[in-house]
Amino acid sequence: MSLRSAVLVAGFVLAALNLRPAIAGVSPLLDEIMGDVGLSPAGGGAITTVMVVCLGVFGSVAPVLARRIGLDRTLLAGLLVIACGVTLRGLDGAPMLYLGSALAATAIAVMNVSMPGVVKQHFPTRINVMTGVYVSAVVAGAAIASAAVIPVERLTGFSWRGVTALLAVPALLGALLWLPQALRAQPPQPSGPRPFRTVLRSRVTWYVTALMGLQSLTFYVVLAWLPTIFMERGVPAEQAGYLLSLTNLVQVAASLAVPVLAGRRASQVPYVVASGVLTVLGYLGVLLAPTTLPWLWMIVLGLGQGASFALALLIIALRPADPAAVTALSAVAQSVGYVIAALGPLLFGYLRELSGGWNVPLTVALGVLAVQIVVGWFAGRPATLGPGRP
């Protein structure tokens, strides 16, 4: 591998690693943040809510930026804005906390949408491999941030403000490594109809969007409520946290391996269906026997959810004919998808409150997964969006 290629891959991986720490790093510090800033539990929860909403609302900005300044410069701008956002939210006062969080999440939304197009542009013959690399880096970034913020706080003696500001360091390092790509002449944008028009008219777009949204919904439900479910079934709090970490770690392996295998085939249907079935089995384990081999259910759940996320992004990169169309499809699928996902934890908690237990919410989640498998079957079939489509 040449030096230029090595810098390209390193910058790409580091950019992917920055797509979740600004969000995942909040939860372990939330009690300290609430006490310091004077927030109620609702106000503390609103930090993550604001960020997830921004992921859905502002992803549509990415195709506009990519068309004007190019995908590489859009990605560079996103890394710089993440650094600004996490630094800003460490300043004094609740307004700065929310504003900085929203700014970082907006940059992440733009980068989320841009990354499949970057894969198509820079690695057109290795889409499956590089999608696996980038998705596993995203998942690993979340796992590292949630696990490391408290030890870093103790090691450095910083408050939560200093620790959250340290998240600017990997973003700035990623920007430095990506700078050579941004300084090069950008590929010309395709002429003809804007990709959004083609993408919005295709049924494939809405199958992919539904797959992205539903798998994200069940993922954020697990992220928000899984430890609570285990603790209410008698599992100690520390063990409940370890179980959530286990399922997240398994997702890293699944998201790295599955795109490599699925990308070699014209149809991803078998993989999409299998990942949905694994997720169903994981949810069934939590519903029917949460204290019997809970580690097994977490492994099965992690395999299913990691593979589902990776397959959704792989399909986004594979279906369109060019990077501009990939970015347009990614914008639609991820913007709508994250809005759907933001409703999941809220709906799950509401059902828990109405029913007085977890059986009804978990049963509803199984129904959502059944729909995910059906739309995934349609999304996974061979198709081409954009110029030269059948």
Side-chain angles (χ1 to χ4, degrees):
M1 180 183 292
S2 67
L3 178 60
R4 176 177 173 180
S5 297
V7 171
L8 170 64
V9 172
F12 176 75
V13 172
L14 195 50
L17 281 168
N18 276 282
L19 289 176
R20 290 296 180 273
I23 302 172
V26 170
S27 181
L29 298 168
L30 191 55
D31 283 345
E32 185 181 346
I33 294 171
M34 290 165 55
D36 185 35
V37 182
L39 298 177
S40 66
I47 300 170
T48 301
T49 300
V50 164
M51 298 188 80
V52 175
V53 169
C54 287
L55 292 182
V57 172
F58 293 107
S60 58
V61 175
V64 177
L65 286 174
R67 197 172 184 91
R68 293 191 175 184
I69 65 174
L71 278 168
D72 291 343
R73 292 169 187 169
T74 298
L75 200 64
L76 176 66
L79 288 165
L80 294 174
V81 174
I82 286 175
C84 291
V86 295
T87 302
L88 185 63
R89 73 181 179 187
L91 300 180
D92 192 34
M96 292 295 100
L97 173 63
Y98 288 117
L99 179 60
S101 297
L103 192 62
T106 298
I108 292 168
V110 171
M111 292 175 66
N112 277 341
V113 171
S114 302
M115 288 296 271
V118 172
V119 171
K120 190 89 167 185
Q121 178 172 295
H122 286 290
F123 312 103
T125 62
R126 292 180 290 166
I127 289 176
N128 56 343
V129 174
M130 297 312 295
T131 297
V133 168
Y134 123 66
V135 177
S136 62
V138 171
V139 177
I144 292 169
S146 59
V149 286
I150 297 299
V152 168
E153 185 180 36
R154 292 171 180 168
L155 182 66
T156 62
F158 291 163
S159 69
W160 71 267
R161 299 178 188 277
V163 172
T164 196
L166 284 176
L167 293 174
V169 174
L172 291 173
L173 181 57
L176 181 63
L177 284 175
W178 195 251
L179 185 62
Q181 314 306 323
L183 292 178
R184 291 191 177 94
Q186 300 297 292
Q189 295 297 315
S191 57
R194 290 181 181 270
F196 261 124
R197 297 178 186 175
T198 301
V199 164
L200 291 173
R201 288 197 297 263
S202 171
R203 284 179 295 180
V204 175
T205 297
W206 303 109
Y207 295 143
V208 175
T209 298
L211 174 62
M212 186 73 195
L214 295 177
Q215 66 83 25
S216 295
L217 184 151
T218 56
F219 168 77
Y220 279 104
V221 162
V222 167
L223 195 65
W225 291 111
L226 187 68
T228 303
I229 294 171
F230 275 125
M231 285 188 288
E232 290 192 13
R233 298 292 178 90
V235 176
E238 185 174 347
Q239 185 180 348
Y242 289 150
L243 289 169
L244 179 60
S245 298
L246 173 61
T247 195
N248 286 333
L249 287 173
V250 173
Q251 286 183 41
V252 176
S255 59
L256 179 61
V258 171
V260 177
L261 299 173
R264 295 172 181 170
R265 301 183 58 167
S267 172
Q268 286 74 49
V269 169
Y271 295 91
V272 174
V273 172
S275 65
V277 170
L278 285 171
T279 308
V280 167
L281 292 176
Y283 264 87
L284 278 173
V286 175
L287 172 63
L288 301 176
T291 58
T292 304
L293 300 177
W295 56 269
L296 176 61
W297 309 134
M298 293 303 95
I299 291 173
V300 172
L301 187 63
L303 289 172
Q305 292 196 312
S308 294
F309 179 46
L311 286 165
L313 293 174
L314 175 67
I315 291 169
I316 288 172
L318 288 175
R319 294 295 175 264
D322 57 70
V326 171
T327 307
L329 175 59
S330 182
V332 175
Q334 297 204 54
S335 295
V336 177
Y338 280 115
V339 170
I340 294 172
L343 299 175
L346 181 64
L347 175 62
F348 212 68
Y350 182 64
L351 291 173
R352 163 66 177 82
E353 186 176 341
L354 285 180
S355 65
W358 293 108
N359 288 349
V360 171
L362 287 167
T363 302
V364 170
L366 290 170
V368 171
L369 286 166
V371 178
Q372 175 187 318
I373 291 171
V374 173
V375 298
W377 187 86
F378 287 103
R381 295 182 302 174
T384 301
L385 288 174
R389 68 188 186 279

